[in-house]
Amino acid sequence: MSTSTSSSAAPAAVAYPARSYAFAEAGQALNWIGGKLVPSASRELLDVTNPRFGKVMGQVALSDSRDVQAAVLAAKAALPGWRNTPMKERAQVLFRLKALLERDMDELCWLLSAENGKTYAEAKGDIEKGIECIEFAISLPNLAAGGQIDVSRGVNCEVTYEPLGIVGGIVPFNFPLMVPLWMIPNALVAGNCFVLKPSEVVPYGAVRLGQYLKLAGLPDGVFQTINGQQPAVEALVDHPDIQAIGFVGSTRVAKLLYGRGSVLGKRMLCLGGAKNHVLVVPDADLDLTASNVVASSFGCAGQRCMASSLMVAVGPTQRIIDAMVANASKIVLGQDMGAVISAAAKERIERYIAQAEAGGAKVLIDGRNATVAGCGGGYWVGPTILDNVAADMPAACDEIFGPVLTIVRARSLDEAIAVENGSQYGNGAAIFTTSGAVARYAVERLEAGMVGVNIGVPVPREPFAFGGFHDSKFGHGDLTGWDGFRFWSRPKKVTTKWALQPDQNWMN
Ligand code: NAD
């Protein structure tokens, strides 16, 4: 990617022109501050590439501490008004945001598909899951009433939830709208002002959020978008007026930022990478297991933090592996499965495959050297299944973040659980079995924050919250659902005693 400097503040495209996978340009993704699109202070731009074609589709603004300062100043001005707006009224803005996203769903799907490389159907899933998070936030006025009780005669205790103030969110490339919407609706309905730092690789959907929120009636300054890379992120985390940061991305950056913000006394919740284990035992249902594991491993080209990337096959499970290979072989690249995000990602994924093969793994399906007609230059890797991988090989331990399913063989369920428990990560895990007792035994022992039984992508739907264990999450609590609301608010406990004074009792 190359950088350049813009001489004028060309506005981002209002509507994305393509209604198909055909290549189209998308203009400049600028910052959104005080209800307006503005260039970054440096005017520096970075190319944004459509992974399907490996071709530049536009540019994104590169921001630094000056832009973060401008965003925070706008938020400061807006905060008193927004904080004092009743929660029920704040929620109405989110109702209207949902309607706008639904209105423009088709266009947004093509935009997200173009910037990220995912298929139209996957882009739709991205937005629909984001809308589910909006719906949860809309319900908050009914859930966040707090509680009160007389704790002794004449003494009452109640809890109310206050906003934190100005908060920030930093998000990854793989779900351009869903992950921002894990945070923004809850934080806004809670009464905060929000500064978003989208992934610089997929900025277009996120930039549209500011425009939609304004259309939905959000006062200027309550929500801002600062585009860019490390300098923008660090300025956001370091800014003294930012009270809390939600981060979603790789473990390396999650850990770094968790430490950086925590020493400044900030509330930090940083979700990191994953290596999700799926345990398949001999009594597993053939069709359900084969189709679910394949969909989980290769959906979104494996670029999902909940993708099943490592299967532990317990005992005689060859018939299931054969069915998975047959299912995966039917996936049409470019139609059922999209491109990976970048040339560097393609190179990394193919390196892991080659390394595993050289280490003795059997390549059951090989996604290297994949091409898609009319998409030369695109970053294509086909579905890949590696069998007989040793549990300590890099392909079995590292997050490859691509369409690669690694199979480790185990002789017993306990051995399979031990493989899962040995992972540094703990985002998701699943067991495929027709036995309730086996499922229960595994669920109790798997070291993951989100566990599935006969489900390949066990993402907790609202109101349940999203978050893993170990190196998949740094911080306390989870990021969505009720936990999300609690993360973006602070409980205030009020204890009240109204004693009538005998000598000044004007009520008599
Ligand atoms: P990334 O960590 O490279 O980037 C995430 C964000 O951090 C981006 O906005 C980026 O600009 C910023 N960033 C990158 N390097 C930085 C640095 N050195 N200092 C400060 N900021 C920096 O992640 P990605 O490649 O965009 O996304 C893929 C990763 O995200 C995978 O590891 C995936 O598992 C993870 N992910 C996790 C979850 C979850 O819920 N646990 C969800 C989605 C994605």
Side-chain angles (χ1 to χ4, degrees), residues 170-174 182 197-200 228-230 233-234 247-250 252-253 257 271-274 305 399 401 427 466 472:
I170 301 152
V171 293
F173 78 82
N174 60 332
W182 281 359
K197 207 303 280 174
S199 165
E200 67 276 25
Q229 299 176 301
Q230 189 171 349
V233 171
E234 290 179 352
F247 171 89
V248 180
S250 61
R252 184 183 66 84
V253 183
L257 296 182
L271 273 52
C305 67
E399 181 181 46
F401 220 55
N427 215 37
F466 194 102
S472 294

PDB file of all heavy atoms in Angstrom, residues 170-174 182 197-200 228-230 233-234 247-250 252-253 257 271-274 305 399 401 427 466 472, ligand 1:
ATOM      1  N   ILE A 170     -11.739   0.647  19.018  1.00  0.00           N
ATOM      2  CA  ILE A 170     -10.744   0.358  17.969  1.00  0.00           C
ATOM      3  C   ILE A 170     -11.059  -1.035  17.430  1.00  0.00           C
ATOM      4  O   ILE A 170     -11.172  -1.978  18.223  1.00  0.00           O
ATOM      5  CB  ILE A 170      -9.310   0.408  18.559  1.00  0.00           C
ATOM      6  CG1 ILE A 170      -9.038   1.800  19.150  1.00  0.00           C
ATOM      7  CG2 ILE A 170      -8.267   0.055  17.498  1.00  0.00           C
ATOM      8  CD1 ILE A 170      -8.040   1.806  20.294  1.00  0.00           C
ATOM      9  N   VAL A 171     -11.218  -1.151  16.127  1.00  0.00           N
ATOM     10  CA  VAL A 171     -11.797  -2.389  15.588  1.00  0.00           C
ATOM     11  C   VAL A 171     -10.952  -2.991  14.462  1.00  0.00           C
ATOM     12  O   VAL A 171     -10.141  -2.298  13.847  1.00  0.00           O
ATOM     13  CB  VAL A 171     -13.242  -2.116  15.098  1.00  0.00           C
ATOM     14  CG1 VAL A 171     -14.156  -1.798  16.267  1.00  0.00           C
ATOM     15  CG2 VAL A 171     -13.286  -0.996  14.070  1.00  0.00           C
ATOM     16  N   PRO A 172     -11.157  -4.292  14.175  1.00  0.00           N
ATOM     17  CA  PRO A 172     -10.360  -4.998  13.170  1.00  0.00           C
ATOM     18  C   PRO A 172     -11.013  -4.976  11.794  1.00  0.00           C
ATOM     19  O   PRO A 172     -12.092  -4.413  11.617  1.00  0.00           O
ATOM     20  CB  PRO A 172     -10.350  -6.426  13.719  1.00  0.00           C
ATOM     21  CG  PRO A 172     -11.709  -6.579  14.323  1.00  0.00           C
ATOM     22  CD  PRO A 172     -12.094  -5.226  14.871  1.00  0.00           C
ATOM     23  N   PHE A 173     -10.362  -5.670  10.838  1.00  0.00           N
ATOM     24  CA  PHE A 173     -10.843  -5.601   9.449  1.00  0.00           C
ATOM     25  C   PHE A 173     -11.953  -6.598   9.143  1.00  0.00           C
ATOM     26  O   PHE A 173     -12.669  -6.447   8.154  1.00  0.00           O
ATOM     27  CB  PHE A 173      -9.668  -5.843   8.479  1.00  0.00           C
ATOM     28  CG  PHE A 173      -9.285  -7.294   8.345  1.00  0.00           C
ATOM     29  CD1 PHE A 173      -9.993  -8.128   7.483  1.00  0.00           C
ATOM     30  CD2 PHE A 173      -8.243  -7.855   9.077  1.00  0.00           C
ATOM     31  CE1 PHE A 173      -9.657  -9.479   7.352  1.00  0.00           C
ATOM     32  CE2 PHE A 173      -7.905  -9.192   8.962  1.00  0.00           C
ATOM     33  CZ  PHE A 173      -8.619 -10.001   8.096  1.00  0.00           C
ATOM     34  N   ASN A 174     -12.100  -7.656   9.957  1.00  0.00           N
ATOM     35  CA  ASN A 174     -12.862  -8.798   9.437  1.00  0.00           C
ATOM     36  C   ASN A 174     -14.383  -8.635   9.461  1.00  0.00           C
ATOM     37  O   ASN A 174     -15.074  -9.280   8.692  1.00  0.00           O
ATOM     38  CB  ASN A 174     -12.426 -10.104  10.116  1.00  0.00           C
ATOM     39  CG  ASN A 174     -12.631 -10.108  11.605  1.00  0.00           C
ATOM     40  OD1 ASN A 174     -12.611  -9.059  12.225  1.00  0.00           O
ATOM     41  ND2 ASN A 174     -12.841 -11.264  12.180  1.00  0.00           N
ATOM     42  N   TRP A 182     -20.915  -3.778  17.918  1.00  0.00           N
ATOM     43  CA  TRP A 182     -20.837  -4.441  19.227  1.00  0.00           C
ATOM     44  C   TRP A 182     -20.752  -3.372  20.326  1.00  0.00           C
ATOM     45  O   TRP A 182     -21.161  -3.587  21.445  1.00  0.00           O
ATOM     46  CB  TRP A 182     -19.581  -5.296  19.332  1.00  0.00           C
ATOM     47  CG  TRP A 182     -19.627  -6.638  18.668  1.00  0.00           C
ATOM     48  CD1 TRP A 182     -20.667  -7.197  17.998  1.00  0.00           C
ATOM     49  CD2 TRP A 182     -18.559  -7.584  18.624  1.00  0.00           C
ATOM     50  NE1 TRP A 182     -20.300  -8.440  17.546  1.00  0.00           N
ATOM     51  CE2 TRP A 182     -19.029  -8.705  17.904  1.00  0.00           C
ATOM     52  CE3 TRP A 182     -17.250  -7.603  19.116  1.00  0.00           C
ATOM     53  CZ2 TRP A 182     -18.224  -9.834  17.682  1.00  0.00           C
ATOM     54  CZ3 TRP A 182     -16.464  -8.714  18.887  1.00  0.00           C
ATOM     55  CH2 TRP A 182     -16.943  -9.814  18.174  1.00  0.00           C
ATOM     56  N   LYS A 197     -12.192   4.241  15.927  1.00  0.00           N
ATOM     57  CA  LYS A 197     -11.042   4.126  15.009  1.00  0.00           C
ATOM     58  C   LYS A 197     -11.250   2.824  14.224  1.00  0.00           C
ATOM     59  O   LYS A 197     -10.976   1.736  14.716  1.00  0.00           O
ATOM     60  CB  LYS A 197      -9.730   4.081  15.817  1.00  0.00           C
ATOM     61  CG  LYS A 197      -8.506   4.594  15.083  1.00  0.00           C
ATOM     62  CD  LYS A 197      -8.182   3.914  13.779  1.00  0.00           C
ATOM     63  CE  LYS A 197      -7.456   2.591  13.985  1.00  0.00           C
ATOM     64  NZ  LYS A 197      -7.264   1.853  12.694  1.00  0.00           N
ATOM     65  N   PRO A 198     -11.771   2.944  12.988  1.00  0.00           N
ATOM     66  CA  PRO A 198     -12.010   1.741  12.184  1.00  0.00           C
ATOM     67  C   PRO A 198     -10.694   1.107  11.737  1.00  0.00           C
ATOM     68  O   PRO A 198      -9.632   1.715  11.862  1.00  0.00           O
ATOM     69  CB  PRO A 198     -12.768   2.273  10.964  1.00  0.00           C
ATOM     70  CG  PRO A 198     -13.084   3.699  11.254  1.00  0.00           C
ATOM     71  CD  PRO A 198     -12.109   4.175  12.272  1.00  0.00           C
ATOM     72  N   SER A 199     -10.783  -0.084  11.180  1.00  0.00           N
ATOM     73  CA  SER A 199      -9.610  -0.671  10.543  1.00  0.00           C
ATOM     74  C   SER A 199      -9.306   0.156   9.299  1.00  0.00           C
ATOM     75  O   SER A 199     -10.201   0.425   8.484  1.00  0.00           O
ATOM     76  CB  SER A 199      -9.881  -2.117  10.152  1.00  0.00           C
ATOM     77  OG  SER A 199      -8.886  -2.544   9.245  1.00  0.00           O
ATOM     78  N   GLU A 200      -8.043   0.521   9.126  1.00  0.00           N
ATOM     79  CA  GLU A 200      -7.663   1.325   7.954  1.00  0.00           C
ATOM     80  C   GLU A 200      -7.804   0.519   6.665  1.00  0.00           C
ATOM     81  O   GLU A 200      -7.802   1.082   5.569  1.00  0.00           O
ATOM     82  CB  GLU A 200      -6.215   1.836   8.108  1.00  0.00           C
ATOM     83  CG  GLU A 200      -5.123   0.762   8.072  1.00  0.00           C
ATOM     84  CD  GLU A 200      -4.890   0.082   9.408  1.00  0.00           C
ATOM     85  OE1 GLU A 200      -5.811   0.060  10.240  1.00  0.00           O
ATOM     86  OE2 GLU A 200      -3.768  -0.444   9.619  1.00  0.00           O
ATOM     87  N   GLY A 228      -7.125   5.789  10.450  1.00  0.00           N
ATOM     88  CA  GLY A 228      -5.670   5.766  10.523  1.00  0.00           C
ATOM     89  C   GLY A 228      -5.126   4.495  11.103  1.00  0.00           C
ATOM     90  O   GLY A 228      -5.825   3.479  11.192  1.00  0.00           O
ATOM     91  N   GLN A 229      -3.857   4.597  11.513  1.00  0.00           N
ATOM     92  CA  GLN A 229      -3.138   3.420  12.000  1.00  0.00           C
ATOM     93  C   GLN A 229      -2.653   3.652  13.434  1.00  0.00           C
ATOM     94  O   GLN A 229      -3.301   4.356  14.201  1.00  0.00           O
ATOM     95  CB  GLN A 229      -1.977   3.133  11.048  1.00  0.00           C
ATOM     96  CG  GLN A 229      -2.454   2.844   9.625  1.00  0.00           C
ATOM     97  CD  GLN A 229      -1.311   2.657   8.660  1.00  0.00           C
ATOM     98  OE1 GLN A 229      -0.482   3.555   8.477  1.00  0.00           O
ATOM     99  NE2 GLN A 229      -1.256   1.510   8.006  1.00  0.00           N
ATOM    100  N   GLN A 230      -1.486   3.108  13.736  1.00  0.00           N
ATOM    101  CA  GLN A 230      -0.959   3.142  15.107  1.00  0.00           C
ATOM    102  C   GLN A 230      -0.952   4.533  15.750  1.00  0.00           C
ATOM    103  O   GLN A 230      -1.372   4.674  16.908  1.00  0.00           O
ATOM    104  CB  GLN A 230       0.453   2.544  15.088  1.00  0.00           C
ATOM    105  CG  GLN A 230       1.047   2.308  16.456  1.00  0.00           C
ATOM    106  CD  GLN A 230       2.350   1.511  16.385  1.00  0.00           C
ATOM    107  OE1 GLN A 230       2.700   0.963  15.339  1.00  0.00           O
ATOM    108  NE2 GLN A 230       3.065   1.456  17.472  1.00  0.00           N
ATOM    109  N   VAL A 233      -4.401   5.358  16.936  1.00  0.00           N
ATOM    110  CA  VAL A 233      -4.806   4.480  18.046  1.00  0.00           C
ATOM    111  C   VAL A 233      -4.136   4.946  19.341  1.00  0.00           C
ATOM    112  O   VAL A 233      -4.787   5.085  20.387  1.00  0.00           O
ATOM    113  CB  VAL A 233      -4.413   3.017  17.743  1.00  0.00           C
ATOM    114  CG1 VAL A 233      -4.619   2.135  18.968  1.00  0.00           C
ATOM    115  CG2 VAL A 233      -5.211   2.488  16.558  1.00  0.00           C
ATOM    116  N   GLU A 234      -2.842   5.193  19.263  1.00  0.00           N
ATOM    117  CA  GLU A 234      -2.117   5.552  20.486  1.00  0.00           C
ATOM    118  C   GLU A 234      -2.593   6.899  21.033  1.00  0.00           C
ATOM    119  O   GLU A 234      -2.730   7.068  22.252  1.00  0.00           O
ATOM    120  CB  GLU A 234      -0.608   5.544  20.211  1.00  0.00           C
ATOM    121  CG  GLU A 234      -0.137   4.112  19.997  1.00  0.00           C
ATOM    122  CD  GLU A 234       1.344   3.957  19.688  1.00  0.00           C
ATOM    123  OE1 GLU A 234       2.042   4.988  19.483  1.00  0.00           O
ATOM    124  OE2 GLU A 234       1.788   2.806  19.632  1.00  0.00           O
ATOM    125  N   PHE A 247     -11.435  -2.598  22.534  1.00  0.00           N
ATOM    126  CA  PHE A 247     -10.569  -2.962  21.400  1.00  0.00           C
ATOM    127  C   PHE A 247     -10.926  -4.364  20.943  1.00  0.00           C
ATOM    128  O   PHE A 247     -11.147  -5.259  21.768  1.00  0.00           O
ATOM    129  CB  PHE A 247      -9.084  -2.927  21.813  1.00  0.00           C
ATOM    130  CG  PHE A 247      -8.179  -3.491  20.750  1.00  0.00           C
ATOM    131  CD1 PHE A 247      -7.663  -2.684  19.745  1.00  0.00           C
ATOM    132  CD2 PHE A 247      -7.854  -4.853  20.730  1.00  0.00           C
ATOM    133  CE1 PHE A 247      -6.846  -3.217  18.740  1.00  0.00           C
ATOM    134  CE2 PHE A 247      -7.040  -5.386  19.731  1.00  0.00           C
ATOM    135  CZ  PHE A 247      -6.535  -4.561  18.742  1.00  0.00           C
ATOM    136  N   VAL A 248     -10.922  -4.568  19.624  1.00  0.00           N
ATOM    137  CA  VAL A 248     -11.056  -5.913  19.060  1.00  0.00           C
ATOM    138  C   VAL A 248     -10.021  -6.035  17.950  1.00  0.00           C
ATOM    139  O   VAL A 248      -9.962  -5.180  17.054  1.00  0.00           O
ATOM    140  CB  VAL A 248     -12.476  -6.153  18.505  1.00  0.00           C
ATOM    141  CG1 VAL A 248     -12.591  -7.566  17.932  1.00  0.00           C
ATOM    142  CG2 VAL A 248     -13.536  -5.960  19.588  1.00  0.00           C
ATOM    143  N   GLY A 249      -9.203  -7.079  18.007  1.00  0.00           N
ATOM    144  CA  GLY A 249      -8.158  -7.270  16.997  1.00  0.00           C
ATOM    145  C   GLY A 249      -7.253  -8.412  17.398  1.00  0.00           C
ATOM    146  O   GLY A 249      -7.674  -9.330  18.118  1.00  0.00           O
ATOM    147  N   SER A 250      -6.009  -8.346  16.958  1.00  0.00           N
ATOM    148  CA  SER A 250      -5.075  -9.440  17.235  1.00  0.00           C
ATOM    149  C   SER A 250      -4.636  -9.412  18.707  1.00  0.00           C
ATOM    150  O   SER A 250      -4.665  -8.370  19.363  1.00  0.00           O
ATOM    151  CB  SER A 250      -3.844  -9.295  16.334  1.00  0.00           C
ATOM    152  OG  SER A 250      -3.213  -8.056  16.620  1.00  0.00           O
ATOM    153  N   ARG A 252      -1.640  -9.661  19.867  1.00  0.00           N
ATOM    154  CA  ARG A 252      -0.443  -8.815  20.070  1.00  0.00           C
ATOM    155  C   ARG A 252      -0.859  -7.380  20.401  1.00  0.00           C
ATOM    156  O   ARG A 252      -0.394  -6.785  21.380  1.00  0.00           O
ATOM    157  CB  ARG A 252       0.428  -8.836  18.794  1.00  0.00           C
ATOM    158  CG  ARG A 252       1.738  -8.080  18.921  1.00  0.00           C
ATOM    159  CD  ARG A 252       2.502  -8.088  17.591  1.00  0.00           C
ATOM    160  NE  ARG A 252       1.833  -7.345  16.532  1.00  0.00           N
ATOM    161  CZ  ARG A 252       1.923  -6.031  16.344  1.00  0.00           C
ATOM    162  NH1 ARG A 252       2.663  -5.305  17.163  1.00  0.00           N
ATOM    163  NH2 ARG A 252       1.277  -5.443  15.359  1.00  0.00           N
ATOM    164  N   VAL A 253      -1.755  -6.821  19.609  1.00  0.00           N
ATOM    165  CA  VAL A 253      -2.146  -5.424  19.815  1.00  0.00           C
ATOM    166  C   VAL A 253      -3.084  -5.309  21.028  1.00  0.00           C
ATOM    167  O   VAL A 253      -2.993  -4.352  21.800  1.00  0.00           O
ATOM    168  CB  VAL A 253      -2.785  -4.841  18.531  1.00  0.00           C
ATOM    169  CG1 VAL A 253      -3.130  -3.379  18.715  1.00  0.00           C
ATOM    170  CG2 VAL A 253      -1.835  -5.005  17.339  1.00  0.00           C
ATOM    171  N   LEU A 257      -2.235  -2.709  24.020  1.00  0.00           N
ATOM    172  CA  LEU A 257      -3.109  -1.571  24.333  1.00  0.00           C
ATOM    173  C   LEU A 257      -3.739  -1.724  25.711  1.00  0.00           C
ATOM    174  O   LEU A 257      -3.950  -0.729  26.418  1.00  0.00           O
ATOM    175  CB  LEU A 257      -4.186  -1.405  23.261  1.00  0.00           C
ATOM    176  CG  LEU A 257      -3.673  -1.055  21.862  1.00  0.00           C
ATOM    177  CD1 LEU A 257      -4.833  -0.860  20.900  1.00  0.00           C
ATOM    178  CD2 LEU A 257      -2.797   0.213  21.871  1.00  0.00           C
ATOM    179  N   LEU A 271     -10.279  -7.457  23.186  1.00  0.00           N
ATOM    180  CA  LEU A 271     -10.496  -8.806  22.668  1.00  0.00           C
ATOM    181  C   LEU A 271      -9.432  -9.120  21.628  1.00  0.00           C
ATOM    182  O   LEU A 271      -9.170  -8.291  20.740  1.00  0.00           O
ATOM    183  CB  LEU A 271     -11.897  -8.909  22.052  1.00  0.00           C
ATOM    184  CG  LEU A 271     -13.040  -9.277  23.011  1.00  0.00           C
ATOM    185  CD1 LEU A 271     -13.086  -8.393  24.230  1.00  0.00           C
ATOM    186  CD2 LEU A 271     -14.382  -9.240  22.288  1.00  0.00           C
ATOM    187  N   GLY A 272      -8.840 -10.312  21.744  1.00  0.00           N
ATOM    188  CA  GLY A 272      -7.726 -10.653  20.869  1.00  0.00           C
ATOM    189  C   GLY A 272      -8.033 -11.795  19.922  1.00  0.00           C
ATOM    190  O   GLY A 272      -9.191 -12.070  19.606  1.00  0.00           O
ATOM    191  N   GLY A 273      -6.983 -12.458  19.480  1.00  0.00           N
ATOM    192  CA  GLY A 273      -7.098 -13.508  18.473  1.00  0.00           C
ATOM    193  C   GLY A 273      -7.601 -14.824  19.041  1.00  0.00           C
ATOM    194  O   GLY A 273      -8.005 -14.911  20.209  1.00  0.00           O
ATOM    195  N   ALA A 274      -7.555 -15.862  18.200  1.00  0.00           N
ATOM    196  CA  ALA A 274      -8.179 -17.121  18.603  1.00  0.00           C
ATOM    197  C   ALA A 274      -7.592 -18.297  17.847  1.00  0.00           C
ATOM    198  O   ALA A 274      -6.994 -18.145  16.779  1.00  0.00           O
ATOM    199  CB  ALA A 274      -9.677 -17.047  18.322  1.00  0.00           C
ATOM    200  N   CYS A 305     -12.973 -14.624  14.071  1.00  0.00           N
ATOM    201  CA  CYS A 305     -12.339 -14.990  15.341  1.00  0.00           C
ATOM    202  C   CYS A 305     -13.044 -16.178  15.971  1.00  0.00           C
ATOM    203  O   CYS A 305     -12.583 -16.716  16.958  1.00  0.00           O
ATOM    204  CB  CYS A 305     -12.333 -13.807  16.295  1.00  0.00           C
ATOM    205  SG  CYS A 305     -13.989 -13.373  16.821  1.00  0.00           S
ATOM    206  N   GLU A 399      -2.649 -18.756  15.307  1.00  0.00           N
ATOM    207  CA  GLU A 399      -3.840 -18.310  14.577  1.00  0.00           C
ATOM    208  C   GLU A 399      -3.421 -18.044  13.133  1.00  0.00           C
ATOM    209  O   GLU A 399      -2.686 -17.090  12.859  1.00  0.00           O
ATOM    210  CB  GLU A 399      -4.400 -17.023  15.208  1.00  0.00           C
ATOM    211  CG  GLU A 399      -5.646 -16.548  14.493  1.00  0.00           C
ATOM    212  CD  GLU A 399      -6.237 -15.263  15.060  1.00  0.00           C
ATOM    213  OE1 GLU A 399      -5.468 -14.309  15.304  1.00  0.00           O
ATOM    214  OE2 GLU A 399      -7.464 -15.218  15.253  1.00  0.00           O
ATOM    215  N   PHE A 401      -5.637 -17.546  10.586  1.00  0.00           N
ATOM    216  CA  PHE A 401      -6.613 -16.564  10.111  1.00  0.00           C
ATOM    217  C   PHE A 401      -6.782 -16.616   8.601  1.00  0.00           C
ATOM    218  O   PHE A 401      -6.617 -15.624   7.882  1.00  0.00           O
ATOM    219  CB  PHE A 401      -6.240 -15.147  10.572  1.00  0.00           C
ATOM    220  CG  PHE A 401      -7.453 -14.356  10.984  1.00  0.00           C
ATOM    221  CD1 PHE A 401      -8.332 -14.836  11.943  1.00  0.00           C
ATOM    222  CD2 PHE A 401      -7.752 -13.133  10.407  1.00  0.00           C
ATOM    223  CE1 PHE A 401      -9.461 -14.126  12.331  1.00  0.00           C
ATOM    224  CE2 PHE A 401      -8.881 -12.402  10.788  1.00  0.00           C
ATOM    225  CZ  PHE A 401      -9.731 -12.910  11.747  1.00  0.00           C
ATOM    226  N   ASN A 427     -10.998 -18.483  22.884  1.00  0.00           N
ATOM    227  CA  ASN A 427     -12.171 -17.739  22.429  1.00  0.00           C
ATOM    228  C   ASN A 427     -13.368 -18.674  22.324  1.00  0.00           C
ATOM    229  O   ASN A 427     -14.275 -18.634  23.137  1.00  0.00           O
ATOM    230  CB  ASN A 427     -11.871 -17.093  21.071  1.00  0.00           C
ATOM    231  CG  ASN A 427     -12.543 -15.752  20.914  1.00  0.00           C
ATOM    232  OD1 ASN A 427     -12.626 -14.999  21.888  1.00  0.00           O
ATOM    233  ND2 ASN A 427     -13.028 -15.434  19.735  1.00  0.00           N
ATOM    234  N   PHE A 466     -20.397 -11.440  24.280  1.00  0.00           N
ATOM    235  CA  PHE A 466     -19.285 -11.995  23.507  1.00  0.00           C
ATOM    236  C   PHE A 466     -17.961 -11.752  24.224  1.00  0.00           C
ATOM    237  O   PHE A 466     -17.618 -10.619  24.557  1.00  0.00           O
ATOM    238  CB  PHE A 466     -19.249 -11.310  22.135  1.00  0.00           C
ATOM    239  CG  PHE A 466     -18.378 -12.018  21.139  1.00  0.00           C
ATOM    240  CD1 PHE A 466     -18.930 -12.822  20.157  1.00  0.00           C
ATOM    241  CD2 PHE A 466     -17.002 -11.886  21.189  1.00  0.00           C
ATOM    242  CE1 PHE A 466     -18.127 -13.485  19.244  1.00  0.00           C
ATOM    243  CE2 PHE A 466     -16.192 -12.549  20.292  1.00  0.00           C
ATOM    244  CZ  PHE A 466     -16.750 -13.347  19.308  1.00  0.00           C
ATOM    245  N   SER A 472      -7.329 -14.555  24.466  1.00  0.00           N
ATOM    246  CA  SER A 472      -8.367 -14.042  23.559  1.00  0.00           C
ATOM    247  C   SER A 472      -9.071 -12.831  24.153  1.00  0.00           C
ATOM    248  O   SER A 472      -9.918 -12.223  23.486  1.00  0.00           O
ATOM    249  CB  SER A 472      -9.391 -15.143  23.242  1.00  0.00           C
ATOM    250  OG  SER A 472      -8.779 -16.171  22.497  1.00  0.00           O
TER     251      SER A 472
HETATM  252  P1  NAD B   1      -5.042  -5.907  14.187  1.00  0.00           P
HETATM  253  O1  NAD B   1      -4.728  -6.176  15.604  1.00  0.00           O
HETATM  254  O2  NAD B   1      -3.923  -5.875  13.215  1.00  0.00           O
HETATM  255  O3  NAD B   1      -5.789  -4.487  14.035  1.00  0.00           O
HETATM  256  C1  NAD B   1      -6.863  -4.149  14.866  1.00  0.00           C
HETATM  257  C2  NAD B   1      -6.874  -2.638  15.058  1.00  0.00           C
HETATM  258  O4  NAD B   1      -5.683  -2.241  15.737  1.00  0.00           O
HETATM  259  C3  NAD B   1      -6.921  -1.877  13.756  1.00  0.00           C
HETATM  260  O5  NAD B   1      -7.804  -0.799  13.887  1.00  0.00           O
HETATM  261  C4  NAD B   1      -5.474  -1.412  13.562  1.00  0.00           C
HETATM  262  O6  NAD B   1      -5.381  -0.182  12.882  1.00  0.00           O
HETATM  263  C5  NAD B   1      -4.973  -1.273  14.968  1.00  0.00           C
HETATM  264  N1  NAD B   1      -3.537  -1.575  15.114  1.00  0.00           N
HETATM  265  C6  NAD B   1      -2.811  -2.474  14.397  1.00  0.00           C
HETATM  266  N2  NAD B   1      -1.546  -2.498  14.840  1.00  0.00           N
HETATM  267  C7  NAD B   1      -1.455  -1.607  15.844  1.00  0.00           C
HETATM  268  C8  NAD B   1      -0.400  -1.190  16.703  1.00  0.00           C
HETATM  269  N3  NAD B   1       0.827  -1.698  16.613  1.00  0.00           N
HETATM  270  N4  NAD B   1      -0.668  -0.252  17.641  1.00  0.00           N
HETATM  271  C9  NAD B   1      -1.909   0.259  17.756  1.00  0.00           C
HETATM  272  N5  NAD B   1      -2.940  -0.102  16.964  1.00  0.00           N
HETATM  273  C10 NAD B   1      -2.725  -1.023  16.023  1.00  0.00           C
HETATM  274  O7  NAD B   1      -6.157  -6.980  13.750  1.00  0.00           O
HETATM  275  P2  NAD B   1      -6.782  -7.216  12.310  1.00  0.00           P
HETATM  276  O8  NAD B   1      -5.760  -7.867  11.446  1.00  0.00           O
HETATM  277  O9  NAD B   1      -7.462  -6.000  11.825  1.00  0.00           O
HETATM  278  O10 NAD B   1      -7.929  -8.265  12.675  1.00  0.00           O
HETATM  279  C11 NAD B   1      -7.714  -9.662  12.783  1.00  0.00           C
HETATM  280  C12 NAD B   1      -7.525 -10.064  14.224  1.00  0.00           C
HETATM  281  O11 NAD B   1      -8.640  -9.646  15.001  1.00  0.00           O
HETATM  282  C13 NAD B   1      -7.468 -11.574  14.392  1.00  0.00           C
HETATM  283  O12 NAD B   1      -6.472 -11.876  15.319  1.00  0.00           O
HETATM  284  C14 NAD B   1      -8.834 -11.933  14.939  1.00  0.00           C
HETATM  285  O13 NAD B   1      -8.887 -13.117  15.696  1.00  0.00           O
HETATM  286  C15 NAD B   1      -9.104 -10.736  15.796  1.00  0.00           C
HETATM  287  N6  NAD B   1     -10.519 -10.597  16.087  1.00  0.00           N
HETATM  288  C16 NAD B   1     -10.919 -10.906  17.345  1.00  0.00           C
HETATM  289  C17 NAD B   1     -12.258 -10.833  17.680  1.00  0.00           C
HETATM  290  C18 NAD B   1     -12.717 -11.191  19.060  1.00  0.00           C
HETATM  291  O14 NAD B   1     -13.858 -10.907  19.371  1.00  0.00           O
HETATM  292  N7  NAD B   1     -11.898 -11.768  19.904  1.00  0.00           N
HETATM  293  C19 NAD B   1     -13.196 -10.411  16.713  1.00  0.00           C
HETATM  294  C20 NAD B   1     -12.743 -10.079  15.429  1.00  0.00           C
HETATM  295  C21 NAD B   1     -11.384 -10.179  15.134  1.00  0.00           C
END
